[in-house]
Amino acid sequence: MASTAEYDYMCPVCHDIFKTPVILSCSHSFCKECLQQFWRSTETQKCPVCRRDSKHDPPVNLALKNLCESFLKKRNEVSSSGSEEICSLHSEKLKLFCLEDKQPVCVVCFTSQQHDNHKFRPIGEVVSSLREELNTTLNSLQEELQHKEIIKGKFEKTLQYINSQADHTERQIKQQFEKLHQFLRDEEESTITALREEEEQKKQMMKEKLEEINTHISALSHSIRDTEEMMNASDVCFLKKFPVSMERVQISSQPDPQPPSGALIHVPRYLGNLPFRVWKKMQDIVQNTPVILDPNTAHPDLVVSDDLTCVKWSWNKQPLPDNPERFEYYPCVLGSEGFNSGTHCWDVEVKESSDWSLGVTTASNRRKGRDFYKTCVWSVWYDQYSLSEQPVFGFRVKQDLERVRVYLDYDRGTVSFSDPLTNTHLHTFTNTFTHTLFPFFSCYTIFTLKILPFSS
């Protein structure tokens, strides 16, 4: 229901606030569009209120137009700021809060049947506790947002690391293949060089045979000319020279030189099983390491070599992603391949390190925190300076060693450790294995642990 003040700004035709009001000569005002529509419908130009004649194009009532705009602006401000504080049912100010309906109500609502037996509190009391509750939730959301931002930063760093990791790996691939390419180029060159050397040797041999046959041909040619001249000589001269000529002819007539054995190129020496022979030679320059390291599991304090066979401790912690596979507390690294059957053996050079641990562990063993060595670890360890006798990291080795051999027989459930140089047994663990086992290595010094190549 419109207020008395609002009626002063309403068009008599549309009963809404004036829009572009125009004033007639009779002093009545209307919306310009409402007046034109009325005149079109009646086909006369009379005032819709008093029916007096009017001009065809009445002027805009600027004073009323400004008043209407001010009224609308003020009403909108009141509506946006105060309408929420007024009960929509009773037009009373909302002063109470119904605890059952969780809604603000007015004093009329308080006495209405709709809220029988409901509990109420003053809005001021409820707002205070609810603001505190909402503020706690807001703080929680802000903390969660900060946490998400931290995770986002880690993901962005991981993305950057993936790029650099891929670039570094690509460079290593190219270097390794370049070594193989260079080996093949060298083999090709040496094989062709040997072929050319044999070619020169065989050609020289045939040249010598050619020189020998040319000498025979020359001698025969001279003998033939001399004999032909003697045949044309007089009888007395012929008889005098005949014995000498026959002797010369007999001397000139010698057995044919025989072609030398093995005069041709020994083609099988160069082409026979060529790829296989090169591959066999390549085995002398390449090495097969039975276990290689997985750098994605290495603790940030550890540095893994480019060929993934060596690890050592570093003073400078590397800015590596904290991915789930990576060790977080102990300076450990896993092998890249797990075992769930069969026998496996690898040798580790430990001669320079004074503090190390190595063996096998399950794939599911915890790599974060301090619980790694508590279960599912079968290892030997050495610490030159430790006085502890507790088997914290497995079986303790007290003698200095250059190498340690790890022998895993998964099916029989044994992990054995020995000194391969002296063939001395160190320790054997017995267990029933049901999970995939991974080799692991731990290094606490700047000296390198090295997995040695397989020796056939």
Side-chain angles (χ1 to χ4, degrees), residues 130-143:
L130 292 182
R131 284 186 187 277
E132 184 176 349
E133 179 182 345
L134 184 60
N135 187 57
T136 301
T137 304
L138 177 61
N139 291 336
S140 176
L141 291 176
Q142 290 173 339
E143 290 176 359

Side-chain angles (χ1 to χ4, degrees), residues 107-119:
V107 291
V108 179
C109 294
F110 172 75
T111 59
S112 68
Q113 185 178 2
Q114 180 183 355
H115 293 280
D116 277 351
N117 299 321
H118 287 188
K119 291 183 178 181

Side-chain angles (χ1 to χ4, degrees), residues 324-449:
E325 301 85 359
R326 193 175 304 283
F327 281 90
E328 176 261 339
Y329 184 78
Y330 290 106
C332 296
V333 60
L334 295 184
S336 63
E337 181 182 0
F339 309 121
N340 52 26
S341 64
T343 59
H344 309 273
C345 181
W346 58 96
D347 290 353
V348 185
E349 188 176 80
V350 297
K351 62 181 180 181
E352 294 181 339
S353 179
S354 60
D355 192 350
W356 51 263
S357 172
L358 55 92
V360 295
T361 185
T362 58
S364 59
N365 196 0
R366 294 186 63 183
R367 304 175 197 179
K368 310 295 183 183
R370 304 187 181 189
D371 295 336
F372 173 69
Y373 282 100
K374 290 186 177 181
T375 59
C376 301
V377 173
W378 299 268
S379 65
V380 294
W381 63 284
Y382 174 78
D383 186 349
Q384 182 178 350
Y385 305 104
S386 174
L387 300 177
S388 173
E389 295 295 332
Q390 297 297 323
V392 180
F393 306 120
F395 178 79
R396 181 176 183 180
V397 176
K398 296 185 178 180
Q399 64 269 41
D400 291 338
L401 298 173
E402 289 191 17
R403 296 183 185 181
V404 174
R405 174 166 293 171
V406 185
Y407 184 83
L408 167 66
D409 190 332
Y410 189 98
D411 302 323
R412 291 188 177 182
T414 60
V415 184
S416 297
F417 300 88
S418 61
D419 179 354
L421 298 181
T422 62
N423 199 24
T424 303
H425 175 261
L426 299 175
H427 189 74
T428 296
F429 292 96
T430 302
N431 195 74
T432 301
F433 300 128
T434 57
H435 296 83
T436 301
L437 299 181
F438 279 82
F440 88 90
F441 309 83
S442 182
C443 184
Y444 290 84
T445 69
I446 60 174
F447 300 106
T448 301
L449 295 184

Side-chain angles (χ1 to χ4, degrees), residues 148-300:
K148 292 290 193 299
E149 291 290 345
I150 292 174
I151 294 177
K152 175 187 174 183
K154 290 182 178 179
F155 286 175
E156 290 174 344
K157 289 181 179 178
T158 300
L159 180 61
Q160 295 174 358
Y161 182 76
I162 290 172
N163 291 333
S164 62
Q165 191 180 36
D167 291 341
H168 179 74
T169 304
E170 181 179 346
R171 287 193 298 271
Q172 294 301 313
I173 291 172
K174 289 182 177 179
Q175 289 178 11
Q176 294 296 324
F177 272 98
E178 177 56 29
K179 290 179 181 178
L180 297 176
H181 294 161
Q182 188 58 49
F183 170 81
L184 292 175
R185 286 193 292 267
D186 292 343
E187 280 298 304
E188 177 186 9
E189 183 178 351
S190 64
T191 304
I192 292 176
T193 299
L195 171 63
R196 295 306 177 201
E197 288 175 354
E198 183 179 355
E199 177 190 16
E200 288 301 319
Q201 180 185 358
K202 298 298 175 67
K203 285 164 66 175
Q204 183 61 33
M205 183 190 305
M206 292 312 300
K207 286 178 181 178
E208 292 174 358
K209 289 294 181 181
L210 280 172
E211 290 177 1
E212 182 181 351
I213 194 66
N214 284 333
T215 301
H216 291 178
I217 291 172
S218 179
L220 287 173
S221 297
H222 283 93
S223 297
I224 290 171
R225 283 196 302 270
D226 292 344
T227 303
E228 288 176 344
E229 289 177 359
M230 191 184 72
M231 291 289 291
N232 295 324
S234 62
D235 294 344
V236 174
C237 188
F238 173 80
L239 291 174
K240 287 181 178 181
K241 294 181 179 181
F242 178 76
V244 177
S245 297
M246 283 299 295
E247 182 180 357
R248 186 178 296 171
V249 169
Q250 291 173 355
I251 293 174
S252 300
S253 179
Q254 297 180 2
D256 294 338
Q258 297 298 315
S261 177
L264 301 182
I265 298 295
H266 193 345
V267 176
R269 180 181 299 163
Y270 307 103
L271 295 182
N273 291 322
L274 178 60
F276 177 77
R277 288 187 292 107
V278 173
W279 173 73
K280 291 287 287 183
K281 251 188 177 181
M282 189 178 291
Q283 287 184 314
D284 296 333
I285 67 164
V286 297
Q287 295 178 332
N288 177 27
T289 306
V291 171
I292 58 174
L293 303 174
D294 181 359
N296 291 339
T297 66
H299 186 278

